[in-house]
Amino acid sequence: MQLTLLGTGCPKVDHKRFGPANLVSTKKSSILIDCGSGVTQRLKEAKVSSTNINALFLTHLHSDHVVDLYQLIISSWHSYRIKPWRVFGPKGTKKFVNKIMEAWKDEREQRIKYEQRSSTKAFNIIVSEFDNYGKIKIGDLIVEYFTVDHKPVKYAYGFNFYHKKKKLTMSGDTKPCDNLMKYGQLTDLLLHEVFIEDEIKTFEKMRSKKTLHNVKSYHTPSTVVGKIAKIARCKKLVLTHFVPTEFNHKKLIKVVEKDFGKKPIIGKDLLKIRI
Ligand SMILES: [Zn+2]
Ligand SMILES: [Zn+2]
């Protein structure tokens, strides 16, 4: 299988690191994970058509991970998608999708009526919400989902993808999490979020030590992520969801390598990795 990093950034705008999104694909199937800002542009750059994506999986409903959902759907219709979207996400996804579709209902109906295209199936969104744990088969890929710890976000998930004896693990957004280390054991590749200590500056009034602490406390610090990868005994560690998006690469590699024992890969938008 192949992992394509589509967006390795966070809510703050960075033209080199778009909002969180990843693609897992085989010759037969493709799954999009999250749809952060700019996902459709990155799909185009990666030469992936949204008409063929088999399913969308959402790690959680933080806006940076879902903000381009409608753009994904409408652009797929414009690209002649003729099948429904299957969306898998946490509790609340049905309500969220309904609200988004409702917000654009009048505009969409006018377009459909005026443009007279033969299919409107791309607007048919079939949503399934996760339990605490489960497995879902999408084509020749098996997706295993499990809860991670992104409190105060109530429902947040990590994923394992299985294909031909290979395993790919995604942390989603999480603070250091036992469940991730449990389900990520011996994975071929762990894609993990990271909060880079000492790289974020405080701003008067807007970002104090206290607000910084709050952001850090529901993510995984760079001084810890290598330890997690080590405990999970993963073969390869790829970092993503960088907070902040600009940082000293060498310094980050050094900090993580010290704990992990191997060099991590610093993710970047459009990086493709075969697993
Ligand atoms: Zn989040
Ligand atoms: Zn996030």
Side-chain angles (χ1 to χ4, degrees), residues 174-231:
T174 185
K175 62 176 95 171
C177 174
D178 287 344
N179 230 16
L180 178 75
M181 290 180 260
K182 177 182 156 190
Y183 287 107
Q185 278 298 312
L186 294 167
T187 189
D188 293 287
L189 189 153
L190 171 62
L191 180 68
H192 207 296
E193 67 125 275
V194 67
F195 177 95
I196 308 158
E197 301 238 51
D198 307 325
E199 292 274 7
I200 302 189
K201 295 163 188 70
T202 51
F203 289 104
E204 210 184 332
K205 288 188 185 124
M206 274 306 282
R207 194 184 269 149
S208 62
K209 283 222 164 79
K210 163 95 180 118
T211 64
L212 240 176
H213 170 80
N214 289 349
V215 175
K216 179 183 156 184
S217 68
Y218 66 0
H219 288 291
T220 300
S222 44
T223 48
V224 179
V225 73
K227 296 183 177 80
I228 289 168
K230 175 97 178 163
I231 294 168

Side-chain angles (χ1 to χ4, degrees), residues 43 77 80 106 151 207 219 238 243 253 262 274:
L43 281 170
W77 183 64
Y80 315 112
D106 293 345
K151 282 184 205 65
R207 194 184 269 149
H219 288 291
V238 182
V243 182
I253 290 170
K262 289 181 255 186
R274 280 214 163 274

Side-chain angles (χ1 to χ4, degrees), residues 135-181:
K135 281 184 181 174
I136 297 164
K137 194 171 187 297
I138 303 287
D140 57 351
L141 282 160
I142 306 269
V143 189
E144 180 180 42
Y145 63 85
F146 50 87
T147 52
V148 290
D149 188 357
H150 195 38
K151 282 184 205 65
V153 175
K154 212 170 166 188
Y155 305 104
Y157 292 85
F159 300 127
N160 280 325
F161 299 86
Y162 297 95
H163 182 257
K164 288 187 176 169
K165 294 184 183 165
K166 295 286 181 184
K167 175 176 173 181
L168 156 65
T169 304
M170 280 185 196
S171 70
D173 279 18
T174 185
K175 62 176 95 171
C177 174
D178 287 344
N179 230 16
L180 178 75
M181 290 180 260

